[in-house]
Coordinates of all heavy atoms in Angstrom, one line a residue:
F1 N 37.5 -4.1 28.7 CA 36.4 -3.3 28.4 C 35.7 -3.7 27.2 O 36.3 -3.8 26.1 CB 36.8 -1.8 28.4 CG 35.7 -0.8 28.0 CD1 34.7 -0.5 28.9 CD2 35.6 -0.3 26.7 CE1 33.7 0.4 28.5 CE2 34.6 0.5 26.4 CZ 33.6 0.9 27.3
T2 N 34.4 -4.0 27.3 CA 33.6 -4.3 26.1 C 32.6 -3.2 25.8 O 31.7 -3.0 26.7 CB 32.8 -5.7 26.3 OG1 33.8 -6.6 26.7 CG2 32.1 -6.1 25.1
P3 N 32.7 -2.6 24.7 CA 31.7 -1.5 24.5 C 30.3 -2.1 24.3 O 30.1 -3.1 23.7 CB 32.2 -0.8 23.2 CG 33.0 -1.9 22.5 CD 33.6 -2.7 23.6
T4 N 29.3 -1.3 24.7 CA 27.9 -1.7 24.5 C 27.4 -1.1 23.3 O 27.5 0.1 23.1 CB 27.0 -1.2 25.7 OG1 27.6 -1.7 26.9 CG2 25.6 -1.7 25.6
I5 N 26.9 -1.9 22.4 CA 26.3 -1.4 21.2 C 24.8 -1.5 21.2 O 24.2 -2.5 21.5 CB 26.9 -2.2 20.0 CG1 28.4 -2.2 20.0 CG2 26.2 -1.8 18.7 CD1 29.0 -3.1 19.0
F6 N 24.2 -0.3 21.0 CA 22.8 -0.3 21.0 C 22.3 -0.3 19.6 O 22.7 0.5 18.8 CB 22.3 1.0 21.7 CG 22.6 1.1 23.1 CD1 23.7 1.8 23.6 CD2 21.8 0.4 24.1 CE1 24.0 1.9 24.9 CE2 22.2 0.5 25.4 CZ 23.2 1.3 25.8
P7 N 21.4 -1.3 19.3 CA 20.9 -1.3 17.9 C 20.0 -0.1 17.7 O 19.4 0.4 18.6 CB 20.1 -2.6 17.9 CG 19.8 -2.9 19.3 CD 20.9 -2.3 20.1
N8 N 19.9 0.3 16.4 CA 19.0 1.4 16.1 C 17.6 1.0 16.4 O 17.2 -0.2 16.1 CB 19.2 1.7 14.6 CG 20.5 2.3 14.3 OD1 21.2 2.8 15.2 ND2 20.9 2.3 13.0
E9 N 16.9 1.9 17.0 CA 15.5 1.6 17.2 C 14.7 1.5 15.9 O 15.0 2.2 15.0 CB 14.8 2.7 18.1 CG 15.3 2.7 19.5 CD 14.6 3.7 20.3 OE1 13.4 4.0 20.0 OE2 15.2 4.3 21.2
A10 N 13.9 0.5 15.8 CA 13.1 0.3 14.6 C 12.2 1.5 14.5 O 11.6 2.0 15.4 CB 12.3 -1.0 14.6
Q11 N 12.0 2.0 13.3 CA 11.1 3.1 13.1 C 9.7 2.6 13.3 O 9.3 1.5 12.9 CB 11.2 3.7 11.7 CG 12.5 4.5 11.4 CD 12.5 5.1 10.1 OE1 11.9 4.6 9.1 NE2 13.2 6.2 9.9
A12 N 8.9 3.5 13.9 CA 7.5 3.2 14.1 C 6.8 3.1 12.8 O 7.1 3.9 11.9 CB 6.9 4.2 15.1
A13 N 5.8 2.2 12.7 CA 5.0 2.2 11.5 C 4.2 3.4 11.3 O 3.7 4.0 12.3 CB 4.1 1.0 11.5
P14 N 4.0 3.9 10.1 CA 3.1 5.1 9.9 C 1.7 4.8 10.3 O 1.3 3.7 10.3 CB 3.3 5.5 8.5 CG 3.7 4.2 7.8 CD 4.4 3.4 8.8
P15 N 0.9 5.9 10.5 CA -0.5 5.6 10.8 C -1.2 5.1 9.6 O -0.8 5.3 8.5 CB -1.0 7.0 11.2 CG -0.1 8.0 10.5 CD 1.2 7.3 10.5
R16 N -2.3 4.4 9.8 CA -3.1 3.9 8.7 C -3.9 5.0 8.1 O -4.7 5.6 8.8 CB -4.0 2.7 9.1 CG -3.2 1.4 9.3 CD -4.2 0.3 9.4 NE -3.5 -1.0 9.6 CZ -3.2 -1.8 8.6 NH1 -3.7 -1.6 7.4 NH2 -2.6 -2.9 8.9
I17 N -3.8 5.2 6.8 CA -4.5 6.3 6.1 C -5.4 5.6 5.1 O -4.9 4.8 4.3 CB -3.5 7.3 5.4 CG1 -2.5 7.8 6.4 CG2 -4.3 8.4 4.7 CD1 -3.1 8.8 7.4
K18 N -6.7 6.0 5.0 CA -7.6 5.3 4.1 C -7.6 6.0 2.7 O -7.6 5.3 1.7 CB -9.0 5.3 4.6 CG -9.1 4.3 5.8 CD -10.6 4.2 6.2 CE -10.7 3.3 7.4 NZ -12.0 3.0 7.8
G19 N -7.5 7.3 2.6 CA -7.6 8.0 1.4 C -9.0 7.9 0.8 O -9.9 7.3 1.3
E20 N -9.2 8.6 -0.3 CA -10.5 8.6 -1.0 C -10.4 7.8 -2.3 O -9.3 7.9 -3.0 CB -10.9 10.0 -1.3 CG -11.3 10.8 -0.1 CD -11.8 12.2 -0.4 OE1 -12.4 12.4 -1.5 OE2 -11.5 13.2 0.3
R21 N -11.4 7.1 -2.6 CA -11.4 6.4 -3.9 C -11.3 7.4 -5.1 O -12.0 8.4 -5.1 CB -12.6 5.5 -4.1 CG -12.7 4.4 -3.1 CD -13.9 3.6 -3.3 NE -14.0 2.6 -2.2 CZ -14.6 1.4 -2.4 NH1 -15.1 1.1 -3.5 NH2 -14.6 0.6 -1.4
C22 N -10.5 7.0 -6.0 CA -10.3 7.9 -7.2 C -9.6 7.1 -8.3 O -9.3 6.0 -8.1 CB -9.5 9.1 -6.9 SG -7.8 8.8 -6.4
H23 N -9.5 7.8 -9.5 CA -8.7 7.2 -10.6 C -7.9 8.3 -11.2 O -8.4 9.4 -11.4 CB -9.7 6.6 -11.6 CG -9.0 5.7 -12.6 ND1 -8.6 6.1 -13.8 CD2 -8.7 4.4 -12.5 CE1 -8.1 5.1 -14.4 NE2 -8.1 4.1 -13.7
F24 N -6.7 8.1 -11.4 CA -5.7 9.1 -11.8 C -6.2 10.0 -12.9 O -6.0 11.3 -12.7 CB -4.4 8.4 -12.2 CG -3.2 9.4 -12.4 CD1 -2.6 9.9 -11.3 CD2 -2.9 9.8 -13.6 CE1 -1.5 10.8 -11.4 CE2 -1.8 10.7 -13.8 CZ -1.2 11.2 -12.7
P25 N -6.7 9.6 -14.0 CA -7.1 10.5 -15.0 C -8.2 11.5 -14.6 O -8.3 12.6 -15.2 CB -7.7 9.7 -16.2 CG -7.1 8.3 -15.9 CD -6.9 8.2 -14.4
N26 N -9.0 11.2 -13.6 CA -10.1 12.0 -13.2 C -9.9 12.9 -12.0 O -10.9 13.4 -11.4 CB -11.3 11.1 -12.9 CG -11.7 10.2 -14.1 OD1 -11.5 10.6 -15.3 ND2 -12.1 9.0 -13.9
V27 N -8.7 13.1 -11.5 CA -8.5 13.8 -10.3 C -8.0 15.3 -10.6 O -7.5 15.5 -11.7 CB -7.5 13.2 -9.3 CG1 -8.0 11.8 -8.9 CG2 -6.1 13.0 -9.9
Q28 N -8.2 16.2 -9.6 CA -7.8 17.6 -9.8 C -6.2 17.7 -9.7 O -5.6 16.9 -9.0 CB -8.4 18.4 -8.8 CG -9.9 18.6 -8.9 CD -10.5 19.5 -7.8 OE1 -9.8 19.8 -6.9 NE2 -11.7 19.8 -8.0
R29 N -5.7 18.7 -10.4 CA -4.3 19.0 -10.3 C -3.9 19.3 -8.8 O -4.7 19.9 -8.1 CB -3.9 20.2 -11.1 CG -3.7 19.9 -12.5 CD -3.2 21.1 -13.3 NE -2.0 21.1 -14.1 CZ -1.3 20.1 -14.6 NH1 -1.6 18.9 -14.3 NH2 -0.3 20.3 -15.3
G30 N -2.7 18.8 -8.4 CA -2.3 19.1 -7.0 C -2.6 17.9 -6.1 O -2.2 17.9 -4.9
T31 N -3.4 17.0 -6.6 CA -3.8 15.8 -5.7 C -2.7 14.7 -5.8 O -2.2 14.4 -6.9 CB -5.2 15.3 -6.2 OG1 -6.1 16.3 -6.2 CG2 -5.6 14.1 -5.4
W32 N -2.5 14.1 -4.7 CA -1.6 13.0 -4.6 C -2.4 11.7 -4.9 O -3.4 11.5 -4.2 CB -0.8 12.9 -3.3 CG 0.3 13.8 -3.2 CD1 0.3 15.1 -2.7 CD2 1.6 13.6 -3.7 NE1 1.5 15.7 -2.9 CE2 2.4 14.8 -3.5 CE3 2.3 12.5 -4.3 CZ2 3.7 14.9 -3.8 CZ3 3.6 12.6 -4.6 CH2 4.3 13.8 -4.4
V33 N -2.0 10.9 -5.8 CA -2.7 9.7 -6.2 C -1.8 8.5 -5.9 O -0.6 8.4 -6.2 CB -3.0 9.7 -7.7 CG1 -3.8 8.4 -8.0 CG2 -3.9 10.9 -8.1
G34 N -2.4 7.5 -5.1 CA -1.7 6.3 -4.8 C -2.3 5.1 -5.6 O -3.5 5.1 -5.8
F35 N -1.4 4.3 -6.1 CA -1.8 3.1 -6.9 C -1.2 1.9 -6.3 O 0.0 1.9 -6.0 CB -1.4 3.3 -8.3 CG -1.7 2.1 -9.2 CD1 -3.0 1.7 -9.6 CD2 -0.6 1.2 -9.6 CE1 -3.2 0.6 -10.4 CE2 -0.9 0.1 -10.3 CZ -2.2 -0.2 -10.7
F36 N -1.9 0.8 -6.2 CA -1.4 -0.5 -5.7 C -2.0 -1.6 -6.6 O -3.2 -1.7 -6.8 CB -1.8 -0.8 -4.3 CG -1.3 -2.1 -3.8 CD1 0.0 -2.3 -3.3 CD2 -2.2 -3.2 -3.8 CE1 0.4 -3.6 -2.9 CE2 -1.7 -4.5 -3.4 CZ -0.5 -4.6 -3.0
D37 N -1.1 -2.5 -7.1 CA -1.5 -3.6 -7.8 C -0.7 -4.8 -7.3 O 0.5 -4.8 -7.4 CB -1.2 -3.4 -9.3 CG -1.8 -4.6 -10.1 OD1 -3.0 -4.8 -10.1 OD2 -1.0 -5.2 -10.9
G38 N -1.4 -5.8 -6.6 CA -0.7 -6.9 -6.0 C -1.7 -8.0 -5.8 O -2.7 -8.2 -6.4
Y39 N -1.3 -8.9 -4.8 CA -2.1 -10.1 -4.5 C -2.2 -10.3 -3.0 O -1.4 -9.8 -2.2 CB -1.3 -11.3 -5.0 CG -1.2 -11.3 -6.5 CD1 -0.1 -10.7 -7.2 CD2 -2.2 -11.9 -7.3 CE1 0.0 -10.7 -8.5 CE2 -2.1 -11.8 -8.7 CZ -1.0 -11.2 -9.3 OH -1.0 -11.2 -10.7
E40 N -3.3 -10.9 -2.6 CA -3.5 -11.4 -1.3 C -3.8 -12.9 -1.3 O -4.3 -13.4 -2.3 CB -4.7 -10.6 -0.6 CG -6.1 -11.0 -1.2 CD -7.2 -10.3 -0.5 OE1 -7.1 -9.9 0.7 OE2 -8.3 -10.2 -1.1
E41 N -3.5 -13.5 -0.2 CA -3.8 -14.9 0.0 C -5.1 -15.1 0.6 O -5.5 -14.3 1.5 CB -2.7 -15.6 0.8 CG -1.4 -15.6 0.1 CD -0.3 -16.3 1.0 OE1 -0.4 -16.4 2.2 OE2 0.7 -16.7 0.4
G42 N -5.8 -16.2 0.3 CA -7.1 -16.5 0.9 C -7.4 -17.9 0.7 O -6.6 -18.7 0.2
T43 N -8.7 -18.3 1.0 CA -9.1 -19.6 0.8 C -10.4 -19.6 0.0 O -11.3 -18.8 0.4 CB -9.4 -20.3 2.2 OG1 -8.2 -20.3 2.9 CG2 -9.9 -21.8 2.0
S44 N -10.5 -20.4 -1.0 CA -11.8 -20.4 -1.8 C -12.8 -21.1 -1.0 O -12.6 -22.2 -0.5 CB -11.5 -21.2 -3.1 OG -12.7 -21.4 -3.8
V45 N -14.0 -20.5 -0.9 CA -15.1 -21.2 -0.2 C -15.7 -22.3 -1.0 O -16.4 -23.2 -0.5 CB -16.3 -20.1 0.1 CG1 -15.8 -19.2 1.2 CG2 -16.7 -19.4 -1.1
F46 N -15.4 -22.3 -2.3 CA -16.0 -23.4 -3.2 C -15.1 -24.7 -3.2 O -15.6 -25.8 -3.1 CB -16.1 -22.9 -4.6 CG -17.1 -21.7 -4.7 CD1 -16.6 -20.5 -4.9 CD2 -18.4 -21.9 -4.4 CE1 -17.4 -19.4 -5.0 CE2 -19.3 -20.8 -4.5 CZ -18.8 -19.5 -4.8
T47 N -13.8 -24.5 -3.2 CA -12.9 -25.6 -3.3 C -12.1 -25.9 -2.0 O -11.4 -26.9 -1.9 CB -11.8 -25.4 -4.4 OG1 -11.0 -24.3 -4.1 CG2 -12.5 -25.2 -5.7
L48 N -12.2 -24.9 -1.0 CA -11.5 -25.0 0.2 C -9.9 -25.1 0.0 O -9.2 -25.8 0.8 CB -12.0 -26.2 1.1 CG -13.4 -26.0 1.5 CD1 -13.9 -27.2 2.3 CD2 -13.7 -24.7 2.3
R49 N -9.5 -24.5 -1.0 CA -8.0 -24.5 -1.3 C -7.5 -23.1 -1.2 O -8.2 -22.1 -1.3 CB -7.8 -25.0 -2.7 CG -8.1 -26.4 -2.9 CD -7.8 -26.9 -4.3 NE -8.1 -28.3 -4.5 CZ -7.5 -29.0 -5.4 NH1 -6.6 -28.6 -6.2 NH2 -7.8 -30.3 -5.4
D50 N -6.2 -23.0 -0.9 CA -5.6 -21.7 -0.8 C -5.5 -21.1 -2.2 O -5.2 -21.8 -3.2 CB -4.1 -21.8 -0.3 CG -4.1 -22.2 1.2 OD1 -5.1 -22.0 1.8 OD2 -3.1 -22.7 1.6
I51 N -5.8 -19.8 -2.3 CA -5.7 -19.1 -3.6 C -5.1 -17.8 -3.4 O -4.9 -17.3 -2.3 CB -7.2 -18.9 -4.2 CG1 -8.0 -18.1 -3.2 CG2 -7.8 -20.2 -4.5 CD1 -9.3 -17.6 -3.8
R52 N -4.7 -17.1 -4.5 CA -4.2 -15.8 -4.5 C -5.2 -14.9 -5.3 O -5.5 -15.3 -6.4 CB -2.8 -15.7 -5.2 CG -1.7 -16.2 -4.3 CD -0.4 -16.1 -4.9 NE -0.3 -15.6 -6.3 CZ 0.8 -14.9 -6.7 NH1 1.8 -14.7 -5.9 NH2 0.8 -14.5 -7.9
R53 N -5.6 -13.8 -4.7 CA -6.5 -12.9 -5.3 C -5.8 -11.7 -5.8 O -5.0 -11.1 -5.1 CB -7.6 -12.5 -4.3 CG -8.6 -13.6 -4.0 CD -9.7 -13.0 -3.1 NE -10.3 -14.1 -2.4 CZ -10.2 -14.4 -1.1 NH1 -9.5 -13.6 -0.4 NH2 -10.8 -15.5 -0.6
H54 N -6.1 -11.3 -7.0 CA -5.6 -10.0 -7.5 C -6.2 -8.8 -6.9 O -7.5 -8.8 -6.8 CB -5.7 -10.0 -9.0 CG -5.0 -8.9 -9.7 ND1 -5.7 -8.1 -10.6 CD2 -3.7 -8.5 -9.7 CE1 -4.8 -7.2 -11.0 NE2 -3.6 -7.4 -10.5
V55 N -5.4 -7.8 -6.5 CA -6.0 -6.6 -5.8 C -5.4 -5.4 -6.6 O -4.2 -5.3 -6.7 CB -5.5 -6.6 -4.3 CG1 -6.0 -5.3 -3.7 CG2 -6.0 -7.8 -3.6
T56 N -6.3 -4.5 -7.0 CA -5.9 -3.3 -7.6 C -6.7 -2.1 -6.9 O -7.9 -2.2 -6.9 CB -6.2 -3.3 -9.1 OG1 -5.5 -4.3 -9.8 CG2 -5.8 -2.0 -9.8
V57 N -5.9 -1.1 -6.4 CA -6.6 -0.1 -5.7 C -6.0 1.3 -6.1 O -4.8 1.4 -6.2 CB -6.3 -0.3 -4.1 CG1 -7.1 0.8 -3.3 CG2 -6.8 -1.7 -3.7
W58 N -6.9 2.3 -6.3 CA -6.5 3.7 -6.5 C -7.0 4.5 -5.3 O -8.2 4.3 -4.9 CB -7.1 4.2 -7.7 CG -6.7 3.6 -9.0 CD1 -7.2 2.5 -9.6 CD2 -5.7 4.1 -9.9 NE1 -6.6 2.3 -10.8 CE2 -5.6 3.3 -11.0 CE3 -4.9 5.2 -9.9 CZ2 -4.8 3.5 -12.0 CZ3 -4.0 5.4 -10.9 CH2 -4.0 4.6 -12.0
R59 N -6.2 5.4 -4.7 CA -6.6 6.3 -3.7 C -6.0 7.7 -3.9 O -4.9 7.8 -4.4 CB -6.2 5.8 -2.3 CG -6.9 4.5 -1.8 CD -8.4 4.8 -1.5 NE -9.1 3.6 -1.0 CZ -9.7 2.7 -1.7 NH1 -9.8 2.8 -3.0 NH2 -10.3 1.6 -1.1
C60 N -6.8 8.7 -3.4 CA -6.3 10.1 -3.5 C -6.0 10.6 -2.1 O -6.7 10.3 -1.1 CB -7.3 11.0 -4.2 SG -7.4 10.7 -6.0
F61 N -5.0 11.5 -2.0 CA -4.6 12.1 -0.7 C -4.2 13.6 -0.9 O -4.0 14.0 -2.0 CB -3.3 11.3 -0.3 CG -3.5 9.9 -0.1 CD1 -3.3 9.0 -1.2 CD2 -4.0 9.3 1.0 CE1 -3.5 7.7 -1.1 CE2 -4.3 7.9 1.1 CZ -4.0 7.1 0.0
N62 N -4.2 14.3 0.2 CA -3.9 15.7 0.2 C -2.4 15.9 0.3 O -1.9 17.0 0.0 CB -4.6 16.4 1.4 CG -6.1 16.4 1.2 OD1 -6.6 16.5 0.1 ND2 -6.8 16.3 2.3
S63 N -1.6 14.9 0.8 CA -0.2 15.1 1.0 C 0.6 13.8 0.6 O 0.1 12.7 0.5 CB 0.1 15.4 2.4 OG -0.1 14.3 3.2
K64 N 1.9 14.0 0.3 CA 2.8 12.9 -0.1 C 2.9 12.0 1.1 O 3.0 10.8 1.0 CB 4.1 13.4 -0.5 CG 5.1 12.4 -0.9 CD 6.4 12.9 -1.4 CE 7.3 11.8 -1.8 NZ 8.6 12.3 -2.3
A65 N 3.0 12.6 2.3 CA 3.2 11.8 3.6 C 2.0 10.8 3.7 O 2.2 9.6 4.1 CB 3.3 12.7 4.8
D66 N 0.8 11.3 3.5 CA -0.4 10.4 3.7 C -0.3 9.3 2.6 O -0.6 8.1 2.9 CB -1.7 11.2 3.5 CG -2.0 12.0 4.7 OD1 -1.3 11.8 5.8 OD2 -3.0 12.8 4.7
C67 N 0.0 9.6 1.4 CA 0.1 8.6 0.3 C 1.2 7.6 0.6 O 1.0 6.4 0.4 CB 0.4 9.3 -1.0 SG 0.3 8.2 -2.4
T68 N 2.3 8.0 1.1 CA 3.4 7.1 1.4 C 3.0 6.2 2.6 O 3.3 5.0 2.6 CB 4.7 7.9 1.8 OG1 5.0 8.7 0.7 CG2 5.8 7.0 2.1
A69 N 2.3 6.7 3.6 CA 1.8 5.9 4.7 C 0.8 4.8 4.2 O 0.9 3.6 4.6 CB 1.2 6.7 5.8
W70 N -0.1 5.2 3.3 CA -1.0 4.3 2.7 C -0.3 3.2 1.9 O -0.6 2.0 2.1 CB -2.0 5.0 1.8 CG -2.9 4.2 1.0 CD1 -4.0 3.6 1.4 CD2 -2.7 3.8 -0.3 NE1 -4.6 2.8 0.4 CE2 -3.8 2.9 -0.7 CE3 -1.7 4.0 -1.3 CZ2 -3.9 2.4 -2.0 CZ3 -1.8 3.5 -2.6 CH2 -2.9 2.6 -2.9
K71 N 0.7 3.6 1.2 CA 1.5 2.6 0.3 C 2.2 1.6 1.2 O 2.2 0.4 0.9 CB 2.5 3.4 -0.5 CG 3.2 2.6 -1.5 CD 4.0 3.5 -2.5 CE 5.3 3.7 -1.9 NZ 6.3 4.2 -2.8
Y72 N 2.7 2.1 2.4 CA 3.4 1.2 3.3 C 2.5 0.1 3.8 O 2.8 -1.1 3.8 CB 3.9 2.0 4.5 CG 4.4 1.1 5.7 CD1 5.7 0.7 5.7 CD2 3.5 0.8 6.7 CE1 6.1 -0.1 6.7 CE2 3.9 -0.1 7.7 CZ 5.2 -0.5 7.7 OH 5.6 -1.3 8.8
W73 N 1.2 0.5 4.2 CA 0.3 -0.5 4.7 C -0.2 -1.4 3.6 O -0.5 -2.6 3.8 CB -0.8 0.1 5.4 CG -0.4 0.6 6.8 CD1 -0.1 1.9 7.2 CD2 0.0 -0.2 7.9 NE1 0.4 1.9 8.4 CE2 0.4 0.6 8.9 CE3 0.0 -1.6 8.1 CZ2 0.9 0.1 10.1 CZ3 0.4 -2.1 9.3 CH2 0.9 -1.3 10.3
M74 N -0.4 -1.0 2.4 CA -0.8 -1.8 1.2 C 0.2 -2.9 1.0 O -0.1 -4.1 0.8 CB -1.1 -1.0 0.0 CG -2.3 -0.1 0.1 SD -3.8 -0.9 0.4 CE -4.1 -1.8 -1.1
Q75 N 1.5 -2.5 1.0 CA 2.6 -3.5 0.8 C 2.7 -4.5 1.9 O 3.0 -5.6 1.7 CB 3.9 -2.7 0.6 CG 3.9 -2.0 -0.7 CD 5.2 -1.1 -0.8 OE1 5.7 -0.5 0.2 NE2 5.8 -1.0 -2.0
T76 N 2.3 -4.0 3.1 CA 2.4 -4.9 4.3 C 1.2 -5.9 4.3 O 1.3 -7.0 4.6 CB 2.4 -4.0 5.6 OG1 3.5 -3.2 5.5 CG2 2.5 -4.9 6.8
D77 N 0.0 -5.3 4.0 CA -1.2 -6.1 4.1 C -1.4 -7.1 3.0 O -1.9 -8.2 3.1 CB -2.5 -5.2 4.2 CG -2.5 -4.4 5.4 OD1 -1.8 -4.8 6.4 OD2 -3.3 -3.5 5.5
Y78 N -0.9 -6.7 1.8 CA -1.0 -7.6 0.6 C 0.4 -8.0 0.1 O 0.9 -7.4 -0.8 CB -1.8 -6.8 -0.5 CG -3.2 -6.4 -0.1 CD1 -3.4 -5.1 0.3 CD2 -4.2 -7.4 -0.1 CE1 -4.7 -4.8 0.7 CE2 -5.5 -7.0 0.3 CZ -5.7 -5.7 0.7 OH -7.0 -5.4 1.1
D79 N 0.9 -9.0 0.8 CA 2.3 -9.3 0.5 C 2.5 -10.7 -0.2 O 3.5 -11.2 -0.3 CB 3.2 -9.4 1.8 CG 2.6 -10.4 2.8 OD1 1.6 -11.0 2.5 OD2 3.3 -10.6 3.8
A80 N 1.4 -11.1 -0.9 CA 1.5 -12.4 -1.5 C 1.8 -12.2 -3.0 O 1.0 -12.1 -3.9 CB 0.1 -13.1 -1.4
G81 N 3.1 -12.2 -3.3 CA 3.5 -12.1 -4.7 C 3.9 -10.8 -5.1 O 4.0 -9.8 -4.4
P82 N 4.2 -10.7 -6.4 CA 4.7 -9.4 -7.0 C 3.7 -8.3 -6.9 O 2.5 -8.5 -6.8 CB 4.9 -9.7 -8.5 CG 4.1 -10.9 -8.7 CD 4.0 -11.7 -7.5
K83 N 4.2 -7.1 -6.8 CA 3.3 -5.9 -6.6 C 3.9 -4.7 -7.3 O 5.1 -4.6 -7.5 CB 3.0 -5.6 -5.2 CG 4.2 -5.5 -4.3 CD 3.7 -5.4 -2.9 CE 4.6 -6.0 -1.9 NZ 4.7 -7.4 -1.7
L84 N 3.1 -3.8 -7.7 CA 3.5 -2.5 -8.3 C 2.7 -1.5 -7.5 O 1.5 -1.5 -7.3 CB 3.0 -2.4 -9.7 CG 3.2 -1.1 -10.4 CD1 4.7 -0.7 -10.5 CD2 2.5 -1.1 -11.8
T85 N 3.5 -0.5 -7.0 CA 2.8 0.6 -6.2 C 3.6 1.9 -6.3 O 4.8 1.9 -6.5 CB 2.8 0.1 -4.7 OG1 2.1 1.1 -3.9 CG2 4.1 -0.1 -4.1
W86 N 2.8 3.0 -6.3 CA 3.4 4.3 -6.5 C 2.5 5.3 -5.9 O 1.4 5.1 -5.7 CB 3.8 4.6 -7.9 CG 2.8 4.4 -9.0 CD1 2.8 3.3 -9.8 CD2 1.7 5.2 -9.3 NE1 1.7 3.4 -10.7 CE2 1.0 4.6 -10.4 CE3 1.2 6.4 -8.8 CZ2 -0.1 5.1 -11.0 CZ3 0.0 6.9 -9.4 CH2 -0.6 6.3 -10.5
C87 N 3.2 6.5 -5.7 CA 2.4 7.7 -5.3 C 2.9 8.8 -6.3 O 4.1 9.0 -6.4 CB 2.8 8.2 -3.9 SG 2.1 7.2 -2.6
R88 N 2.0 9.5 -6.9 CA 2.3 10.6 -7.8 C 1.4 11.8 -7.6 O 0.2 11.6 -7.3 CB 2.2 10.1 -9.3 CG 3.1 9.0 -9.6 CD 3.0 8.6 -11.1 NE 3.9 7.5 -11.4 CZ 3.7 6.6 -12.3 NH1 2.6 6.7 -13.1 NH2 4.6 5.7 -12.5
K89 N 2.0 12.9 -7.9 CA 1.2 14.1 -7.8 C 0.7 14.5 -9.2 O 1.5 14.5 -10.1 CB 2.0 15.3 -7.2 CG 1.2 16.5 -6.9 CD 2.1 17.5 -6.1 CE 1.3 18.7 -5.7 NZ 2.1 19.6 -4.9
K90 N -0.5 14.8 -9.3 CA -1.1 15.2 -10.6 C -0.9 16.6 -10.8 O -1.1 17.4 -10.0 CB -2.5 14.7 -10.8 CG -3.0 15.1 -12.1 CD -4.2 14.3 -12.5 CE -4.6 14.7 -13.9 NZ -5.9 14.1 -14.3

């Protein structure tokens, strides 16, 4: 007898959440703020060479779940190099 082992199903990716543009010092108390600082890969139209572009984004959300979903997609979409990302409630 050989037992059948079922692998754990991969968790579904969270929905894409856009959030509202904001900056941490200027938001109301109780707002969830998401921050992402990282890089994306691209091609320079001037030199036709591969480049890494620096990306910094602030977004505001009504819930921690929305902020966490946004953070997941930022880390997935901009995966070229080191990154700093967080969600904090003001």
Side-chain angles (χ1 to χ4, degrees):
F1 173 76
T2 306
T4 305
I5 300 173
F6 295 99
N8 292 339
E9 291 184 32
Q11 286 186 333
R16 284 192 180 262
I17 307 291
K18 291 186 179 184
E20 294 183 34
R21 291 179 187 213
C22 66
H23 194 265
F24 191 79
N26 304 327
V27 299
Q28 293 180 348
R29 276 186 129 16
T31 302
W32 281 91
V33 179
F35 174 75
F36 176 85
D37 186 57
Y39 295 90
E40 70 175 336
E41 292 180 341
T43 303
S44 170
V45 290
F46 301 109
T47 64
L48 298 178
R49 292 183 180 203
D50 291 338
I51 59 171
R52 285 183 357 149
R53 290 185 198 109
H54 187 234
V55 177
T56 302
V57 183
W58 294 86
R59 291 290 186 269
C60 284
F61 304 91
N62 293 324
S63 70
K64 181 179 181 179
D66 285 351
C67 189
T68 303
W70 171 82
K71 188 171 87 165
Y72 169 87
W73 285 108
M74 292 301 290
Q75 292 173 321
T76 301
D77 293 344
Y78 300 100
D79 61 353
K83 53 188 145 283
L84 171 67
T85 184
W86 48 258
C87 286
R88 294 185 184 152
K89 189 173 185 179
K90 181 157 183 190

